[in-house]
Amino acid sequence: DSGVTQTPKHLITATGQRVTLRCSPRSGDLSVYWYQQSLDQGLQFLIQYYNGEERAKGNILERFSAQQFPDLHSELNLSSLELGDSALYFCASSVETWETQYFGPGTRLLVL
Amino acid sequence: AQTVTQSQPEMSVQEAETVTLSCTYDTSESNYYLFWYKQPPSRQMILVIRQEAYKQQNATENRFSVNFQKAAKSFSLKISDSQLGDTAMYFCAFMKHDGGSQGNLIFGKGTKLSVKP
């Protein structure tokens, strides 16, 4: 158990819908990262927050957004969902940006 | 832009034997970190080992060790005394150190390792 929690574990939804994925980092970790793992794209970095501020953006679609709240938990919002958004979404956290990232168990999203 | 290449999509090894997984990377950065993560069938991402580029000494963690060749931009993982529980997908990852503002990982496509009894 890495100490990073993600909810829900599984999510099945329809095209065009909107979902919210939630992540609670390890106690004391200030930095949160979101990654997408799909068969065709592999593991891709989406976005990073540090102590509530956005620090870096990767290959994140405009239909996706995220935020980190004052209690340091983070949410990833996915809207206007398409079949291709089906993937495993990981949250990771670290104490500082150069420290090792520890991953949550992931949320498996299936868009039908 | 940085890239990470794992040239072995699949490998297999007999239990108790030694196996080496390859990873090469491309970067113009001088200060960075390299990692190996393991993803077993449960899909959980588990850190195996971490190497700081400024350290010449190769990192080791129990049965896991790396061969870090900075000039060749190579970072291989050696697993000694392979165990059935080592069966997993192994990902090599790169993270540049830019003074601490960003820390995103760039992953290779992975090597699927099967340990056979």
Side-chain angles (χ1 to χ4, degrees):
Chain A
D1 185 359
S2 66
V4 179
T5 61
Q6 288 187 249
T7 56
K9 285 187 178 178
H10 302 278
L11 200 48
I12 302 175
T13 189
T15 54
Q17 294 298 305
R18 172 189 168 95
V19 298
T20 297
L21 313 184
R22 183 187 169 101
C23 167
S24 292
R26 296 185 319 158
S27 177
D29 285 2
L30 297 176
S31 203
V32 169
Y33 310 79
W34 287 96
Y35 293 88
Q36 179 194 59
Q37 185 177 30
S38 62
L39 280 174
D40 52 347
Q41 298 290 333
L43 263 164
Q44 287 202 307
F45 166 70
L46 295 178
I47 197 164
Q48 175 201 355
Y49 280 83
Y50 179 85
N51 203 20
E53 291 183 4
E54 183 184 302
R55 277 289 179 91
K57 262 186 174 179
N59 296 323
I60 188 166
L61 300 171
E62 284 192 11
R63 301 183 285 108
F64 296 2
S65 64
Q67 54 184 325
Q68 186 180 27
F69 295 87
D71 67 352
L72 301 178
H73 91 271
S74 178
E75 292 181 357
L76 179 67
N77 301 296
L78 315 177
S79 61
S80 302
L81 285 167
E82 301 175 359
L83 296 178
D85 298 328
S86 296
L88 186 54
Y89 291 85
F90 284 109
C91 169
S93 73
S94 63
V95 176
E96 291 289 348
T97 54
W98 60 86
E99 298 286 349
T100 296
Q101 294 176 29
Y102 293 91
F103 282 72
T107 293
R108 193 183 299 263
L109 174 67
L110 180 59
V111 182
L112 299 176
Chain B
Q2 293 81 21
T3 58
V4 177
T5 302
Q6 294 179 249
S7 58
Q8 306 148 315
E10 289 193 43
M11 294 188 73
S12 66
V13 63
Q14 291 295 127
E15 200 175 4
E17 294 192 346
T18 296
V19 64
T20 299
L21 310 184
S22 301
C23 172
T24 58
Y25 57 96
D26 188 24
T27 185
S28 57
E29 303 287 336
S30 58
N31 199 7
Y32 51 88
Y33 306 95
L34 295 163
F35 304 83
W36 280 98
Y37 280 88
K38 161 185 175 180
Q39 188 177 40
S42 66
R43 308 303 298 272
Q44 174 77 49
M45 291 289 288
I46 302 166
L47 175 72
V48 175
I49 203 162
R50 165 188 167 117
Q51 173 80 44
E52 288 83 359
Y54 64 85
K55 288 187 178 178
Q56 292 189 339
Q57 188 171 7
N58 289 323
T60 62
E61 284 290 342
N62 302 313
R63 299 183 294 106
F64 299 88
S65 62
V66 298
N67 184 0
F68 173 47
Q69 302 287 330
K70 191 172 184 180
K73 295 179 183 173
S74 169
F75 183 61
S76 61
L77 174 70
K78 185 171 87 171
I79 306 174
S80 304
D81 185 25
S82 296
Q83 299 175 1
L84 296 178
D86 296 333
T87 292
M89 198 76 168
Y90 286 80
F91 292 96
C92 178
F94 172 99
M95 180 173 75
K96 72 175 182 179
H97 182 48
D98 63 354
S101 66
Q102 299 179 3
N104 53 289
L105 293 166
I106 299 167
F107 287 92
K109 292 196 179 298
T111 295
K112 185 177 181 180
L113 177 68
S114 299
V115 180
K116 299 186 185 306

